[in-house]
């Protein structure tokens, strides 16, 4: 790397996307202007993280311009995108070509860079893994100020494989080249009810192994647990035609249809965003699952990004806490988590959860690492194993004398006991030794020395547990 007279690293030669390179150069100058003693952070107005962080003491890096889909290559089935592109933008760019990303996380405002550095999952994950597994090339602004292009087999391959689950503590994704897959215009859904959890997870295992159910091919699998004897698998299949399509973007609520309909049809776009309108089922906390408020709000305001702003206001002004106190109700502990355990331990985890954590419904999503001899050291999965992700997002009352975090800590301990993993987008309560044992501290420290030796970016434990 060479340095110009202003002390700014020069742009790498041969830019494929000149306007993108101009944005990269401007960002590089921003970084140079930040004091060498300051912790570097992004200046972001929005986030899909559900954990608080300390206020920044210095100006952040402005990456608001990195929101361009640079190219969609229909023949090669790839897309070049900037790191702050949302999945909503990307899907809108790829669907006209009959293509979609291999995994599309549920919320429209999740960014490509965020999903790759912080993981993601959806109903195609039983065959396509996580978003980072479809990345071919990754351009990263590292903690030491370099712009590096990491691929699976170049000199930055360690960063390429160690970037997932690093949460911006090694660097920031500026551009990604990802794989795409073909789609059909519609998706047929089958909601299959089970009454026995052991049979439910055995059926899930079999469907994911064969990609079919009762003679029909299956492209997508997820599930919803409403109670101990009310468990649904939703099996979805691409189709070229549909007798009629449902609309869950305004008055009707998708998750309620699971209990009421055995089959359904959606456009492929509406299928990808079926959970966003009501933030799964979390919109009920804002009182918008009744007909009148939905009529008044319209489609524009029924989306996850609006609910997230409401949550941010609540955190800032502690509205929910004050209301509980005024009503003389016990304080509540927020439990917003996604965890996964091997499918053979899934029924055991659900037993524990229903016994100890009074939250319902619960989302279920199977996950398997994509075929290939690849290791992702900061979030290692057994490549031969099918995992079951459990998503639960609510709050539970604290008994007298209970400290905030007691239920979350109980969940963490159970997940570890069952040989599972926990995503770090929300609150974590691990001790430092435990954290590094679970998230490969040796590999992380080696990457930190190579790409952020001065520690200009927060460390992973400081960011995800100490909430720096």
């Amino acid at each position: 790397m060479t340095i110009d007279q202003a002390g700014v690293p020069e742009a790498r030669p041969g830019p494929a996307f000149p306007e993108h390179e101009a944005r990269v150069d401007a960002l590089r100058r921003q970084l140079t202007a930040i004091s060498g003693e300051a912790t570097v952070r992004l200046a972001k107005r929005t986030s899909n993280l559900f954990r608080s962080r300390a206020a920044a003491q210095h100006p952040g890096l402005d990456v608001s311009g990195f929101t361009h889909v640079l190219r969609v290559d229909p023949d090669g089935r790839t897309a070049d995108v900037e790191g702050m592109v949302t999945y909503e933008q990307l899907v809108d760019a790829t669907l006209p070509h009959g293509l979609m990303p291999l995994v599309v996380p549920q919320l429209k405002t999740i960014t490509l860079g965020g999903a790759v550095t912080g993981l993601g999952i959806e109903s195609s994950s039983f065959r396509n893994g996580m978003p980072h597994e479809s990345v071919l090339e990754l351009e990263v602004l590292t903690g030491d100020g370099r712009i590096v292009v990491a691929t699976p087999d170049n000199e930055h391959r360690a960063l390429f494989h160690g970037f997932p689950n690093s949460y911006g503590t090694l660097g920031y994704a500026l551009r990604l080249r990802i794989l795409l897959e073909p789609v059909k215009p519609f998706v047929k859904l089958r909601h299959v009810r089970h009454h026995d959890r052991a049979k439910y997870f055995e059926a899930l295992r079999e469907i994911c192994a064969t990609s079919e159910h009762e003679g029909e091919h299956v492209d997508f699998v997820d599930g919803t647990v409403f109670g101990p004897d009310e468990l649904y698998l939703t099996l979805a299949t691409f189709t070229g035609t549909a007798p009629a399509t449902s609309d869950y973007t305004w008055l009707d609520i998708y998750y309620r249809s699971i209990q009421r309909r055995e089959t359904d049809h959606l456009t492929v776009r509406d299928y990808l965003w079926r959970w966003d309108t009501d933030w799964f089922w979390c919109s009920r906390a804002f009182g918008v699952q009744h007909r009148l408020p939905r009529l008044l709000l319209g489609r524009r305001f029924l989306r996850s990004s609006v609910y997230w702003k409401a949550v941010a206001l609540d955190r800032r002004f502690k509205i929910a806490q004050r209301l509980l106190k005024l009503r003389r109700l016990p304080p509540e502990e927020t439990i917003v988590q996604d965890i996964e355990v091997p499918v053979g331990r899934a029924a055991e985890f659900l037993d524990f959860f229903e016994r100890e954590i009074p939250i319902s419904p619960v989302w279920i999503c199977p996950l398997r690492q994509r075929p290939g001899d690849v290791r992702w050291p900061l979030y290692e999965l057994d490549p031969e194993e099918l995992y079951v992700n459990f998503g639960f997002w609510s709050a539970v009352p604290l008994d007298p004398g209970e400290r905030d975090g007691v239920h979350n800590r109980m969940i963490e301990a159970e997940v570890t006991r069952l040989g599972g993993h926990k995503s770090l987008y929300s609150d974590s309560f691990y001790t430092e030794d435990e954290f590094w044992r679970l998230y490969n501290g040796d590999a992380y420290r080696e990457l930190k020395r190579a790409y952020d030796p001065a520690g200009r970016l927060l460390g992973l434990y400081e960011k995800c547990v100490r909430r720096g």
Side-chain angles (χ1 to χ4, degrees):
M1 179 180 66
T2 58
I3 306 294
D4 66 16
Q5 292 182 349
V8 178
E10 293 179 351
R12 61 185 176 88
F17 306 102
E19 293 181 356
H20 168 76
E21 291 297 335
R23 288 187 285 272
V24 171
D25 288 342
L27 185 67
R28 195 187 276 111
R29 289 185 172 84
Q30 282 188 58
L31 180 62
T32 302
I34 296 175
S35 166
E37 301 300 317
T39 299
V40 177
R41 308 180 82 156
L42 296 186
K44 294 175 61 179
R45 293 184 178 181
T46 61
S47 172
N48 281 289
L49 296 180
F50 284 82
R51 46 180 159 77
S52 57
R53 67 178 190 174
Q57 301 298 314
H58 303 276
L61 291 174
D62 181 6
V63 292
S64 60
F66 287 83
T67 57
H68 298 77
V69 178
L70 301 169
R71 178 179 61 182
V72 176
D73 177 4
D75 296 326
R77 294 182 181 172
T78 64
D80 285 271
V81 299
E82 292 183 321
M84 292 296 291
V85 167
T86 67
Y87 273 92
E88 182 177 29
Q89 291 175 272
L90 180 58
V91 164
D92 285 347
T94 61
L95 284 185
H97 299 282
L99 299 168
M100 63 172 268
L102 270 59
V103 179
V104 178
Q106 309 84 3
L107 306 183
K108 292 177 177 179
T109 56
I110 292 175
T111 64
L112 273 289
V116 170
T117 194
L119 309 182
I121 192 173
E122 235 296 314
S123 56
S124 62
S125 288
F126 80 98
R127 56 186 176 84
N128 288 336
M130 294 187 181
H132 60 265
E133 296 184 69
S134 61
V135 175
L136 300 172
E137 183 176 289
L138 187 62
E139 181 186 71
V140 181
L141 169 63
T142 63
D144 58 11
R146 288 177 289 165
I147 306 293
V148 305
V149 177
T151 69
D153 54 6
N154 73 357
E155 68 272 26
H156 299 293
R157 56 188 174 273
L159 177 62
F160 181 89
H161 292 109
F163 197 74
N165 208 45
S166 65
Y167 281 90
T169 65
L170 300 174
Y172 300 114
L174 304 181
R175 179 181 59 80
L176 307 92
R177 179 169 297 156
I178 65 168
L179 287 168
L180 305 173
E181 69 175 9
V183 303
K184 293 181 180 179
F186 305 100
V187 178
K188 176 186 176 182
L189 290 75
R190 289 170 286 166
H191 304 303
V192 182
R193 181 170 179 174
H194 288 258
H195 301 274
D196 178 274
R197 67 191 57 181
K199 293 180 180 178
Y200 176 78
F201 289 113
E202 188 52 43
L204 179 67
R205 185 204 299 267
E206 179 66 20
I207 292 165
C208 292
T210 63
S211 293
E212 69 173 38
H213 176 67
E214 295 182 345
E216 288 192 47
H217 181 72
V218 174
D219 292 302
F220 304 96
V221 182
D222 66 344
T224 311
V225 177
F226 291 95
D229 64 346
E230 189 179 5
L231 308 91
Y232 294 86
L233 289 178
T234 296
L235 313 176
T237 304
F238 284 125
T239 179
T241 60
T245 56
S246 298
D247 181 355
Y248 299 112
T249 64
W250 187 16
L251 299 180
D252 294 329
I253 298 172
Y254 171 69
Y255 85 92
R256 290 182 177 172
S257 74
I258 295 171
Q259 297 171 293
R260 298 170 182 170
R261 307 187 64 157
E262 291 186 4
T263 61
D264 207 347
H265 288 81
L266 296 171
T267 66
V268 64
R269 189 181 192 278
D270 283 354
Y271 175 78
L272 294 176
W273 303 129
R274 67 202 183 283
W275 292 117
D276 188 86
T277 302
D278 285 283
W279 215 4
F280 285 83
W281 31 77
C282 297
S283 64
R284 62 188 177 184
F286 305 101
V288 297
Q289 289 193 7
H290 302 288
R291 200 79 168 174
L292 181 58
R294 294 177 86 85
L295 277 167
L296 295 174
L297 288 169
R299 289 182 173 88
R300 179 182 174 188
F301 294 104
L302 292 169
R303 54 182 285 145
S304 60
S305 56
V306 174
Y307 308 137
W308 172 249
K309 290 175 183 177
V311 168
L313 284 172
D314 176 70
R315 286 184 173 181
R316 181 178 178 183
F317 296 107
K318 303 187 185 306
I319 298 169
Q321 290 184 25
R322 295 177 187 216
L323 288 175
L324 288 171
K325 193 170 183 178
L326 283 172
R327 296 167 62 191
R328 297 184 178 180
L329 294 173
E332 292 183 336
E333 176 183 353
T334 300
I335 300 179
V336 177
Q337 304 289 356
D338 274 83
I339 67 93
E340 58 247 0
V341 297
V343 65
R345 312 299 296 272
E348 195 174 347
F349 178 81
L350 191 55
D351 283 339
F352 152 80
F353 190 83
E354 290 180 339
R355 184 175 64 249
E356 301 291 348
I357 312 295
I359 291 177
S360 178
V362 174
W363 185 58
I364 301 291
C365 188
L367 163 70
R368 179 185 287 116
Q369 185 170 309
R370 291 186 72 200
D373 186 20
V374 181
R375 288 184 62 247
W376 307 98
L378 302 191
Y379 206 81
E380 289 192 279
L381 300 176
D382 181 345
E384 304 301 320
E385 181 67 81
L386 177 71
Y387 292 84
V388 178
N389 178 279
F390 293 80
F392 35 91
W393 317 286
S394 190
V396 299
L398 290 167
D399 291 335
E402 281 189 329
R403 296 181 59 182
D404 187 38
V406 63
H407 298 91
N408 281 283
R409 194 69 186 98
M410 192 185 305
I411 292 166
E412 289 176 348
E414 184 68 5
V415 171
T416 299
R417 187 184 74 83
L418 296 175
H421 306 78
K422 170 185 156 175
S423 297
L424 298 174
Y425 71 86
S426 189
D427 290 336
S428 296
F429 298 85
Y430 298 111
T431 66
E432 190 164 1
D433 287 345
E434 184 182 16
F435 180 85
W436 289 125
R437 185 172 68 252
L438 294 172
Y439 295 98
N440 202 340
D442 290 341
Y444 178 79
R445 284 185 283 269
E446 186 173 340
L447 286 165
K448 194 72 167 172
R449 284 193 295 268
Y451 292 97
D452 186 25
R456 296 205 69 191
L457 304 175
L458 285 171
L460 189 61
Y461 183 78
E462 286 73 21
K463 188 169 188 177
C464 295
V465 183
R466 290 181 182 164
R467 306 175 196 177

